[in-house]
Amino acid sequence: HGRRSPKGAGWSVARQPTMVLGELGSALAGALRKLGEHTVVDEEVMDACLKEVTKALLQADVNVQYVVQMKKNIVKQVNIQELAAGLNARKLLEKAVFNELVNMLEGGSAEVKEKFVPKKGKPNVVMFVGLQGCGKTTTCTKYAYHFQKKGYKPALVCADTFRAGAFDQLKQNATKARIPFYGSYTETDPAKIAADGVERFKDEKNDLIIVDTSGRHKQEDSLFEEMRQVAAAVQPDMTIFVMDSSIGQAAQDQARAFKATVDVGSVIITKLDGHAKGGGAISAVAATKSPIAFIGTGEHIDEFEAFDTKPFVSRLLGLGDWTGLIDKINDVIPMDQQPELMDKLVAGQFTMRILYEQFANIQKMGPMSSVMSMIPGMDGMLPKGQEKASQAKIKRMMCLMDSMTDEELDTTSLKILQDPKRMERIGRGAGRGPGDVVELVEEYKRMAKMMGKMKGMKMPKKGGYGHSQAMAQNMQQMAGAIPPHMLKQMGGMSGLQNMMKQLEGKDMGKMMEQMGGMKGMGKMMKQMGM
């Protein structure tokens, strides 16, 4: 009478936190944070801030010409001497730094092509190109897995006949992600393999066919000739250039060379978690006017995220990305389940089953350090080594809940959950001691108490009668449900109000349902010592 784990929960594994461009982000956020220590922002304070910003960018291997130009643009925008009385110099400076970083990473041009999004219902052929060792084969699988979660039917074709073991690697990755694949141990013509694989998956009605091509150690003529042959054979809808970010500024020459050979539609930058040159690579690629579609932030299949310049810069500066967080929640909690979850929480029905689902959702969201970087003031606040311990604790508790009956999972009665015989049976069924069961029940009690603060929350309809009153009431309740030190890091009530401004235009009733999915996460952060 036990209960199995939901499908897909096995993907996440305990691991050390990694932060994209961590050192650059910390330095930039620190420079802006120091502005808050000064009552008046004068030229001296501004110069000190800009010195730190430029130093951080240069250490990240950003081209010195870009950095000098950026500093000039900021000084021009924020002329301390000419500011009218009452204008907030600190806010203007923050905004100027934000805008200039966005311009730098977007290539400073509105001409950049729209990023390619596969169309459902028709075959989309995507060809991956890049040098050897840039993470191309792994990125192909991450790309396929990303779109698989969004309802596409991806397939992988290995047209890399140059590197020994390339097909074995793709086969292993594809099998793990449950994605169909095609390749050959005997055929040596990459163009023929690619054409046969694409034809096969078109017949099987796959709507996203990803072709992995050969790489070389450097930009050789033979590599470019092979790329042209494969492109001619499969006629791709999009060619994606995969690039290792550790080359820093050299990314600009590499991106231009590939773009001159095949029609590179977008770029994926990998290995942004392992070194300090990522900022240089991103700005260098942006200068070629090639849109960056995704960034690889680790070796695991879920450490892969869509690159959107404004939210990326916002997270880099420690300003968070609420919209990205809501989108992440939508990815792990199906839209049709959100109203049901919120209805139960509003009615005060918090059960072990809901706790289990919250834990599973937290695991599916990927590294907690990445999620926390989306919350203003929370980036870099996770104690080192704490994430691994917290992931182990979640798995231990989920294992105990797998040993429970349906009655125990769905009850709100502490009398049932604290029954000594039941507790002994649950522990024995999960192979755990009595102390672990007590820990789980205590955790449930703490969570139930916190969720109880949401009881009676009204769901406002967009533009409906009493909308603003309901929102004000909900804001107070949300503030009460968030741990006080976490709320302080987010900027208090004004931080919550800023969050609502960022989400302006969304159906607030739906948004509040989504926020219901965040409550467990807030508690988890508290567990992690936040």
Side-chain angles (χ1 to χ4, degrees):
H1 51 242
R3 178 175 175 272
R4 291 173 182 252
S5 304
K7 185 182 173 186
W11 265 115
S12 292
V13 291
R15 53 183 178 265
Q16 292 294 338
T18 55
M19 169 53 198
V20 185
L21 305 180
E23 288 178 19
L24 174 60
S26 300
L28 292 174
L32 293 186
R33 211 177 294 123
K34 282 180 186 174
L35 287 175
E37 296 170 7
H38 299 275
T39 322
V40 178
V41 175
D42 54 19
E43 277 194 59
E44 190 182 333
V45 172
M46 188 170 99
D47 284 345
C49 173
L50 290 181
K51 198 174 280 184
E52 285 195 41
V53 168
T54 52
K55 182 184 172 187
L57 292 169
L58 290 171
Q59 285 176 340
D61 201 37
V62 176
N63 187 304
V64 67
Q65 291 175 314
Y66 303 159
V67 177
V68 170
Q69 188 56 50
M70 175 185 160
K71 187 176 178 183
K72 284 179 183 173
N73 293 347
I74 292 172
V75 171
K76 200 183 293 180
Q77 286 178 52
V78 189
N79 191 325
I80 299 285
Q81 301 297 332
E82 294 178 11
L83 278 185
L87 280 179
N88 190 327
R90 185 181 298 113
K91 290 287 178 194
L92 283 175
L93 184 54
E94 280 181 11
K95 192 179 178 190
V97 171
F98 176 85
N99 290 340
E100 285 303 313
L101 280 171
V102 168
N103 286 339
M104 184 191 290
L105 299 185
E106 274 184 343
S109 167
E111 296 165 21
V112 176
K113 286 187 287 185
E114 275 190 38
K115 287 168 191 169
F116 173 74
V117 178
K119 292 177 178 63
K120 285 186 181 176
K122 69 175 279 290
N124 301 269
V125 180
V126 180
M127 184 171 93
F128 276 63
V129 300
L131 296 186
Q132 204 171 69
C134 66
K136 195 161 61 273
T137 302
T138 303
T139 302
C140 283
T141 316
K142 287 181 175 184
Y143 186 83
Y145 182 66
H146 173 84
F147 283 104
Q148 186 185 53
K149 289 193 295 182
K150 295 184 181 297
Y152 289 84
K153 279 182 66 184
L156 292 161
V157 178
C158 180
D160 183 353
T161 57
F162 181 79
R163 178 170 66 92
F167 181 39
D168 286 326
Q169 184 192 351
L170 183 130
K171 186 162 74 169
Q172 187 180 24
N173 289 350
T175 304
K176 191 177 177 185
R178 297 178 185 173
I179 294 163
F181 58 90
Y182 179 86
S184 173
Y185 287 111
T186 54
E187 179 59 63
T188 56
D189 181 3
K192 187 175 187 317
I193 295 173
D196 291 349
V198 168
E199 190 179 340
R200 173 181 160 179
F201 288 125
K202 279 183 177 177
D203 291 341
E204 292 179 6
K205 302 288 186 263
N206 289 85
D207 53 10
L208 181 58
I209 304 164
I210 299 156
V211 181
D212 181 22
T213 63
S214 302
R216 299 288 189 277
H217 289 301
K218 56 180 191 279
Q219 288 138 241
E220 298 171 11
D221 290 340
S222 57
L223 167 62
F224 292 135
E225 181 54 40
E226 188 178 303
M227 276 164 42
R228 278 190 284 264
Q229 289 172 3
V230 174
V234 301
Q235 297 292 309
D237 298 288
M238 164 64 66
T239 301
I240 294 177
F241 170 46
V242 182
M243 192 191 66
D244 181 346
S245 62
S246 64
I247 62 173
Q249 289 181 45
Q252 190 164 334
D253 295 333
Q254 201 180 102
R256 285 206 169 107
F258 274 85
K259 204 173 176 185
T261 308
V262 288
D263 181 22
V264 172
S266 58
V267 177
I268 294 178
I269 299 180
T270 62
K271 308 181 188 178
L272 275 165
D273 57 313
H275 49 81
K277 290 188 175 184
I282 292 175
S283 59
V285 172
T288 68
K289 305 292 184 281
S290 296
I292 300 167
F294 293 90
I295 50 176
T297 59
E299 63 188 49
H300 297 275
I301 198 163
D302 56 351
E303 293 178 320
F304 184 72
E305 55 187 70
F307 181 83
D308 195 351
T309 316
K310 285 186 179 177
F312 180 81
V313 172
S314 184
R315 287 167 63 185
L316 207 56
L317 296 176
L319 305 174
D321 173 21
W322 285 113
T323 309
L325 184 57
I326 294 294
D327 290 342
K328 203 176 249 290
I329 290 166
N330 283 338
D331 281 346
V332 297
I333 309 177
M335 288 294 282
D336 57 344
Q337 289 180 20
Q338 289 175 7
E340 184 187 347
L341 170 63
M342 197 61 182
D343 287 345
K344 285 178 180 175
L345 296 179
V346 169
Q349 299 169 359
F350 185 74
T351 63
M352 280 284 187
R353 195 182 295 278
I354 292 175
L355 180 61
Y356 187 102
E357 287 163 359
Q358 290 286 311
F359 283 154
N361 289 334
I362 287 166
Q363 285 193 313
K364 282 189 277 182
M365 286 179 89
M368 188 55 71
S369 51
S370 170
V371 175
M372 287 172 63
S373 72
M374 295 179 173
I375 302 173
M378 301 304 292
D379 183 25
M381 299 297 290
L382 189 64
K384 200 172 182 182
Q386 192 73 45
E387 183 163 1
K388 196 172 182 179
S390 298
Q391 289 279 8
K393 187 175 179 180
I394 288 176
K395 286 187 175 180
R396 188 166 66 243
M397 290 184 177
M398 288 177 79
C399 183
L400 285 163
M401 286 187 266
D402 280 334
S403 180
M404 289 182 171
T405 62
D406 285 338
E407 182 191 7
E408 289 157 352
L409 285 166
D410 294 321
T411 187
T412 55
S413 166
L414 283 173
K415 188 178 178 183
I416 291 175
L417 293 173
Q418 291 178 316
D419 179 88
K421 286 185 179 178
R422 286 179 185 268
M423 291 175 78
E424 186 187 345
R425 194 206 76 248
I426 290 165
R428 200 166 56 241
R432 309 298 310 187
D436 291 321
V437 185
V438 171
E439 180 190 43
L440 171 63
V441 173
E442 288 302 313
E443 181 59 36
Y444 166 77
K445 283 159 71 175
R446 282 194 294 271
M447 279 288 275
K449 185 180 178 183
M450 190 186 80
M451 294 295 184
K453 294 178 182 178
M454 292 181 69
K455 192 173 180 180
M457 190 180 274
K458 293 179 175 65
M459 290 299 104
K461 298 294 177 190
K462 195 174 181 180
Y465 176 74
H467 177 269
S468 54
Q469 291 92 325
M471 283 305 299
Q473 184 186 333
N474 288 344
M475 194 85 76
Q476 291 291 340
Q477 283 184 275
M478 277 175 67
I482 297 170
H485 52 297
M486 183 177 161
L487 183 64
K488 187 180 176 185
Q489 286 288 345
M490 290 165 63
M493 282 299 289
S494 62
L496 276 181
Q497 284 163 353
N498 286 336
M499 174 194 82
M500 292 302 180
K501 278 181 190 171
Q502 280 190 43
L503 297 164
E504 218 168 322
K506 284 182 178 263
D507 182 326
M508 295 313 285
K510 278 186 184 172
M511 201 278 294
M512 294 302 293
E513 285 163 3
Q514 291 162 345
M515 295 304 286
M518 289 175 62
K519 296 299 169 186
M521 193 180 71
K523 179 62 183 173
M524 275 307 302
M525 288 176 184
K526 197 174 181 183
Q527 274 186 349
M528 289 177 182
M530 294 305 304

